[in-house]
Amino acid sequence: MRMLILLPPSEGKTAPSSGPSLDLASLLDAERLTAPRRTVMSALAEVSRGPDAASVLGLGPRSAEQTRTNLSLETSPCAPAYQLFTGVLYEAANLESIAAQTTGRSALERHCVIFSGLWGALSPTDPVPDHRLSMGASLPGPGRLPSFWKPHLAPVLKDRGAPGLVVDCRSADYAAAWKPSASDGVEIMTVRVVRVANDGSRKVVSHMAKQARGLLTGALLSAVAAGTLSPEAHAGDVAALAARLNSVDVEVSEADRRGRRVLTLVTR
């Protein structure tokens, strides 16, 4: 039994200037996921060669040139996912600092999975190259990526998460690629973040939501690495730790019929 944290990737990336080439056999559950990864890589390369690549991939004009990174996936230098992804959530989680310790690296590998439109799911320590593909895209062949990945990821993640607690910090597109339920033998806690405005109303603010989820992720993994949080933590343990985060109030819903609770982090 163990806690498993589910994360989205990050649009913000820091491309490595050096490092090993891609080795699909070294990535999370390569035995089951290498074939579908190759299918998506092939479809992505085909799209990225075309004149409408940015449109198909949902990229803005400033990002259009970045589609070229998708044409050299097997030869570009790779870096661990926790270093490659450098958006708001990852900056707040500070996974690189956690990974610098032996117990921290073990916590990343055992208790965290990063979802990806290209790779399906990754361990934070998996070395991958810079790339541009969100889970919300649809590619000729694979089609909508959440639907493509769902049957491939379900057995992998069920094996990693059950029995135990799943702390779900993903956004909607990535959450659609695997929807755990109590029937999988897991306890589910979805993390929601809202901001209280001056008039008392509650709003979801993307930047603040990513930051709060990142802070929670970093706190959970650091606590497991330090031995102050059991690897077999339950929902109440996660809520108690979340309550110690700065400037955050915590609310926990009752479990629904699918065994899901919502952990709401209220920021001001």
Side-chain angles (χ1 to χ4, degrees):
M1 179 172 179
R2 62 178 167 181
M3 174 182 66
L4 185 64
I5 303 168
L6 309 181
L7 297 180
S10 167
E11 288 186 13
K13 301 179 184 69
T14 298
S17 58
S18 61
S21 297
L22 178 65
D23 177 10
L24 290 175
S26 73
L27 303 186
L28 177 69
D29 213 324
E31 184 174 341
R32 287 186 280 194
L33 295 180
T34 293
R37 284 169 177 150
R38 287 198 179 280
T39 296
V40 177
M41 287 172 65
S42 177
L44 178 60
E46 189 65 28
V47 165
S48 298
R49 292 187 190 98
D52 57 348
S55 175
V56 173
L57 300 179
L59 300 175
R62 293 183 180 180
S63 302
E65 292 186 3
Q66 296 175 355
T67 59
R68 296 175 185 172
T69 63
N70 297 330
L71 299 177
S72 55
L73 295 174
E74 299 198 59
T75 56
S76 294
C78 294
Y82 67 78
Q83 289 181 341
L84 178 68
F85 297 126
T86 52
V88 174
L89 186 154
Y90 287 85
E91 182 179 348
N94 198 14
L95 300 186
E96 187 163 6
S97 176
I98 296 171
Q101 310 165 41
T102 301
T103 55
R105 189 176 185 87
S106 176
L108 290 183
E109 292 173 344
R110 288 180 54 81
H111 299 288
C112 189
V113 169
I114 300 171
F115 279 64
S116 166
L118 178 53
W119 316 110
L122 295 168
S123 165
T125 59
D126 282 349
V128 287
D130 191 19
H131 57 279
R132 289 296 179 275
L133 181 64
S134 73
M135 189 69 84
S138 180
L139 298 178
R144 291 189 66 256
L145 292 176
S147 299
F148 172 82
W149 280 115
K150 196 170 185 178
H152 299 293
L153 294 181
V156 171
L157 294 163
K158 182 177 178 180
D159 285 352
R160 290 183 69 82
L165 170 67
V166 171
V167 181
D168 194 345
C169 294
R170 299 172 296 168
S171 50
D173 284 335
Y174 294 93
W178 182 52
K179 296 182 178 180
S181 69
S183 62
D184 294 324
V186 296
E187 182 183 11
I188 306 118
M189 176 171 268
T190 300
V191 181
R192 178 173 176 261
V193 185
V194 297
R195 178 179 179 273
V196 178
N198 292 334
D199 62 2
S201 63
R202 293 185 171 192
K203 299 179 180 179
V204 176
V205 181
S206 178
H207 178 92
M208 296 184 71
K210 292 175 183 177
Q211 183 180 50
R213 289 186 179 114
L215 290 172
L216 177 63
T217 296
L220 290 171
L221 292 170
S222 294
V224 170
T228 57
L229 179 68
S230 170
E232 301 177 358
H234 292 281
D237 303 316
V238 173
L241 187 148
R244 297 197 291 271
L245 297 176
N246 291 333
S247 304
V248 170
D249 294 329
V250 171
E251 299 171 358
V252 182
S253 72
E254 295 294 327
D256 64 17
R257 62 183 181 181
R258 296 185 65 188
R260 295 170 179 266
R261 287 183 172 86
V262 177
L263 172 67
T264 301
L265 306 181
V266 184
T267 66
R268 298 181 183 276

